[in-house]
Amino acid sequence: MNFRCYLICCILLLTYTSKAQSYRDDWTSRLSFTIDYGLSFPTIKGDQSFTISSFPSNPQDQIVFSERRISRQDLSNLGYYGLELTYVLQPRISLGLVMQRRNSYTYNSSMQFSQEKRVISNNLLLSSTGTFMQNTTISSTSLSVLATFKLFEMDIDRSTIMSFDMGIGVGLSFIKLDSQISNVLLTMHLKNDTTSQDNTFGPGIIVPEITRTTPFTWQLSTGFKFQFENSPNMSIGFRLVDIGHFIIMERPENMQDLFLLSSTTTNAEDQNLTLSTTNKKRHLISKDVYIKFHF
């Protein structure tokens, strides 16, 4: 009797172990690991982060004849890499945890400012000029949840299947801004008066400032996935990524003037020329071309 009970217990244990192993194997077979490489073509949107302006202490004490601001900006392209852990929920739907690292976008901007005006209080013609260069290195690491949908698939040959996938992801970007301003030059002088000296500030510089922010990010992707019988699967495609919003060199409202020049040599002591931050949000978007390897 004891032997029979022992035999039944062994059979039940083996059956349970077999079922558990089958379940575990089925669960692990739904997991895949992906390495993602690509090229990023970024765009930065929004108003300028810095501006130059000329103004009197009394807002009514001027007549502006001409004013011009010429701005330039450029943003470098670069490669990126990503890692993804994916779980297949259904044959056509999978859910993944994605990390993408985008290192060192270089954003440069500059401005040239000029203004001519009449100072009403003393009837002087005043000319002002200003220029600066700004450089910001932008590093970003994002962590997102990505849902991928297989829209259709087709057999290319006996060992290769091609499918068309679409992905939607949301998450957080961890952005680091390393910003610097250099070559700041501000001047004011009396127009058509060769005997007066320029009232000049510069060259000015602000040493690099590091800012960190964590904005919301989202992405949309489309691509073709190739499933091979005897080698790792591969995907190629296009991705649109909203990396996030940020402010370069943000300052409190009463501290936005970075450099200030007040006229003292033109008999117009109430005239000011300043380089200041705008505290405007900038928006970083990237269009990616990628290749993925699935393991």
Side-chain angles (χ1 to χ4, degrees):
M1 183 67 180
N2 291 336
F3 175 78
R4 289 181 180 179
C5 291
Y6 177 79
L7 182 60
I8 292 173
C9 290
C10 288
I11 293 173
L12 292 174
L13 181 61
L14 289 173
T15 302
Y16 175 81
T17 304
S18 176
K19 289 183 178 179
Q21 183 65 39
S22 174
Y23 175 81
R24 184 161 55 249
D25 291 342
D26 181 67
W27 182 81
T28 56
S29 67
R30 292 171 176 262
L31 282 175
S32 65
F33 179 73
T34 302
I35 299 177
D36 180 3
Y37 299 97
L39 289 177
S40 175
F41 301 91
T43 302
I44 191 165
K45 297 183 177 183
D47 293 335
Q48 289 284 338
S49 298
F50 307 92
T51 189
I52 298 174
S53 55
S54 176
F55 57 93
S57 299
N58 178 5
Q60 306 300 321
D61 192 22
Q62 67 176 2
I63 300 176
V64 178
F65 298 133
S66 66
E67 183 174 290
R68 183 172 63 173
R69 291 180 178 86
I70 301 175
S71 302
R72 294 182 175 88
Q73 60 180 356
D74 63 85
L75 187 61
S76 65
N77 303 327
L78 78 163
Y80 77 94
Y81 70 89
L83 302 175
E84 180 179 346
L85 184 64
T86 303
Y87 181 74
V88 179
L89 296 174
Q90 298 179 11
R92 291 184 175 273
I93 303 175
S94 61
L95 194 64
L97 183 64
V98 183
M99 186 279 292
Q100 292 172 345
R101 174 64 178 173
R102 303 167 185 275
N103 192 34
S104 301
Y105 291 112
T106 300
Y107 170 63
N108 298 308
S109 68
S110 62
M111 178 177 289
Q112 293 180 334
F113 170 84
S114 63
Q115 184 194 71
E116 293 184 359
K117 64 183 176 182
R118 181 184 299 278
V119 181
I120 298 175
S121 59
N122 51 23
N123 203 34
L124 294 176
L125 295 179
L126 191 64
S127 178
S128 303
T129 62
T131 184
F132 73 89
M133 295 183 64
Q134 176 260 328
N135 171 268
T136 297
T137 300
I138 307 171
S139 301
S140 169
T141 301
S142 64
L143 190 63
S144 304
V145 176
L146 178 68
T148 303
F149 305 90
K150 184 185 296 183
L151 301 184
F152 68 85
E153 67 178 19
M154 59 182 296
D155 295 335
I156 297 179
D157 53 39
R158 292 183 177 180
S159 60
T160 306
I161 300 175
M162 183 186 72
S163 62
F164 181 73
D165 297 346
M166 182 182 72
I168 303 174
V170 294
L172 294 175
S173 285
F174 301 89
I175 296 177
K176 175 186 174 184
L177 306 172
D178 192 343
S179 304
Q180 181 179 17
I181 293 180
S182 61
N183 299 333
V184 180
L185 184 62
L186 306 175
T187 67
M188 287 190 289
H189 62 274
L190 294 178
K191 186 174 176 58
N192 300 326
D193 186 348
T194 58
T195 62
S196 65
Q197 296 181 346
D198 287 349
N199 189 14
T200 303
F201 174 87
I205 187 172
I206 292 182
V207 297
E209 293 185 4
I210 295 177
T211 306
R212 290 179 172 85
T213 184
T214 310
F216 173 80
T217 181
W218 59 264
Q219 59 179 277
L220 296 174
S221 62
T222 58
F224 292 95
K225 183 177 180 180
F226 298 89
Q227 302 177 59
F228 304 105
E229 184 176 353
N230 299 317
S231 58
N233 299 333
M234 181 185 71
S235 298
I236 56 174
F238 167 82
R239 180 187 294 114
L240 175 66
V241 184
D242 184 329
I243 297 176
H245 294 76
F246 53 83
I247 299 175
I248 298 176
M249 284 192 175
E250 184 176 8
R251 294 287 195 278
E253 187 175 351
N254 61 346
M255 298 177 62
Q256 289 183 234
D257 292 341
L258 302 178
F259 298 97
L260 176 64
L261 175 63
S262 295
S263 175
T264 57
T265 62
T266 61
N267 296 320
E269 289 90 354
D270 64 344
Q271 298 298 315
N272 303 283
L273 184 63
T274 179
L275 166 62
S276 58
T277 65
T278 63
N279 284 351
K280 298 293 186 180
K281 281 191 175 183
R282 311 305 300 274
H283 189 191
L284 184 59
I285 298 174
S286 178
K287 298 176 182 178
D288 301 341
V289 178
Y290 68 81
I291 181 170
K292 294 181 179 181
F293 297 97
H294 306 265
F295 300 94

